[in-house]
Amino acid sequence: MALMTGEQYIESIRKIKMEVYLMGKKVDVPVDDPILRPSLNSVRMTYDLAQKPEYKDLMTVKDPETGKEINRFNNIHRSTDDLIKKVKMQRLLGQQTAACFQRCVGMDAFNALWSTTYDTDKKYGTSYFKNFKKFLDYVKENDLTVDGAMTDPKGDRSLAPHQQADPDMYVHVVERRPDGIVVRGAKAHQTGALNSHEMIVMPTIAMSPEDKDYAVSFVVPLDTKGLFMIIGRQSCDTRKLEGGNIDVGNAEFGGVEALVVFDNVFVPNDRIFLNGETDFAGALVERFAGYHRQSYGGCKVGVGDVLIGAAALAADYNGAAKASHVKDKLIEMTHLNETLYCCGIACSAEGTPTESGNYIINLLLANVCKQNVTRFPYEIVRLAEDIAGGIMVTAPSEKDLFDPKLGPYVEKYLKAAPGVKTENRLRILRLIENLSLGTAAVGYRTESMHGAGSPQAQRIMIARQGNIPAKKELAKKIAGVKE
Ligand SMILES: Cc1cc2nc3c(=O)[nH]c(=O)nc-3n(C[C@H](O)[C@H](O)[C@H](O)COP(=O)(O)OP(=O)(O)OC[C@H]3O[C@@H](n4cnc5c(N)ncnc54)[C@H](O)[C@@H]3O)c2cc1C
C-alpha cells in the first residue's frame, strides 16, 4: 500500500472500535468529538505533509529493505543523516501544528526495540527480533501510527514493581499460555494512543530478577478486548465546545493524553518483544528515552518558533515592537529555542551504529538536550507573557467582540497600534494564552518537563555518561599532578 493521505488516515482510525471515556461518558465516535478532534488533526499532518513534494525529503524515506517509499515516522534510522532529518521533520511539524503531533513515540519505540530485541535474542536465543520485524513490516506496508506506551502509574515510587501493595501498578504478565500471555495493569499519560492503530507497551524502569513478570514488551491493536482509555482533562479544554475559533487559541490542532487500562488483555506469541528477560528492561528504557529526548530538540523548537512569532506580533500590534527591551527579549527567546535545536542536531550528528544495524543518538547529548527542554520553554513562555501584556488573560471573549452592543466597546478599548484589527490582536493573544496556560501548554510546558522522563532522570544519565574520571585525568595532566 502507498502512503496514506490525511483523509485516509482519519477514516482508518474511524474504523477502529476503541473503548474511550471522556469526563465520565463513553465516546462513541472519538474521531468526531470536538474536544478530541484537534489531536487527531495534529497526527493527520504527519500524513498530509508526506504528500507534499516540498517536504518529501524530510517526511519520507526509501525503505532500504523493500525499496518502497515509507513515512519517516516508520523509519529505522540507518545513518546520522536519518537522525538529523528526524529532528528537522519534528521541527517542521511543531511549526505547522503548534501542538504535540504524537507520532514520534512510536518511531522512538521502533528504534529502541530494533536493537534491544536483537541484543536479547543474541543472549537468550529468543525470537523477539523476528516478531518485531514482522510487526514493523506490517506498519510500514500500511503506513500506520503506533503509540509508544512506557509510563506505568508506578504507585509508591520508592518500591520496585514486585514490591507494590497493588501488583497492577506496573503492567505485568498474569498468565502464560502456549499461544501467548495475558497482561494486566495500565499505562498513564499516553499521548496519541487515541489516534493510533496499534500500541507498543514497554517497561518503564530497569528491573531485577524478582520483577520477571513486569519485564514485558508487546504490541496490541487499540480495539483489543480488555483495553480501554480514560482521556485526561486539559486546561481550557471545554472552550472547544463553545463554537467560534478565537478563544480556543488554536482551533485546528492539539494533543491529548489517556490513561490506558489493560484489564486482562491477551497478547499472542508473535506480538511479544520481551517476556521475563529482566536484564534487557533497562536497555530498552534507556534507548527509548534517549531517542525520545532527542525528539524534543525538534518538536518543542517548532512550537517555540510559533510562540516567538506570536510574541513578536503581539509587540507589533500593541506598538511596542521598537522598544529595545522587547527586541532583546525576542533575541533571548530565539537564543534559547535555537540552543534546544543545537542539542537535537548535535546528539544526532554524533550518533553511532549499533550491532543490529540501526543508529543510536549520542546519549549524553540527548540527555543534555532534554534537560534544557525541561527549562527553556518555561523561560520562553515567561518572556512571551511579558511581551503580550496582561490582556492575554483578561480579554473579553469572542462572543463579546461580535456582540452588537458590547462589540464596539471591546473594539474601542482593545485597540492598540494604528491599522491593527482588534480581532487579529485577540487571535494572537489567545494563541499565546493557549501555549502558556491552555490546552497546548500541556504539550509545550508540562510535557517539556516530564515527557521522556522528569529532569532527574536525565541527570542520572548525564552522571553516568559524563565520564568525570577521564576529565580528572585531563586536569591532572595539565596541572602536573603526580599521585
Ligand atoms: C503531557 C505528557 C505526555 C506524555 N506522554 C507520554 C507517552 O506518550 N508515553 C509514555 O509512556 N509516557 C508519557 N508521558 C509520561 C512521562 O514520561 C512521565 O510523566 C515521566 O516519566 C514522569 O513520571 P510521572 O509523571 O509518574 O512522575 P513521577 O515519576 O511521579 O515524578 C514526580 C517527581 O518525583 C520524582 N521521583 C519519582 N520517582 C522517584 C524515586 N524513585 N526517587 C526519587 N524521586 C522520584 C521525580 O524525579 C519527579 O521530580 C507523558 C507525560 C506528560 C506530562
Side-chain angles (χ1 to χ4, degrees), residues 105 148 150-151 154 157 189-191 442 447 450 452-454 456:
V105 276
M150 180 160 275
T151 312
K154 296 186 292 203
R157 269 69 175 154
H189 323 281
Q190 287 315 300
T191 301
V442 173
E447 193 175 65
H450 287 293
S454 312
Q456 191 58 21

Side-chain angles (χ1 to χ4, degrees), residues 9-20 28-31 144-145 193-198 221-224 229:
Y9 157 70
I10 302 265
E11 292 315 305
S12 69
I13 294 290
R14 186 189 296 282
K15 282 190 200 128
I16 305 174
K17 298 291 164 226
M18 303 181 194
E19 193 178 338
V20 178
D28 291 328
V29 192
V31 165
L144 302 181
T145 289
L194 178 71
N195 304 321
S196 298
H197 303 94
E198 299 266 347
L222 266 297
D223 56 356
T224 298
M229 286 177 247

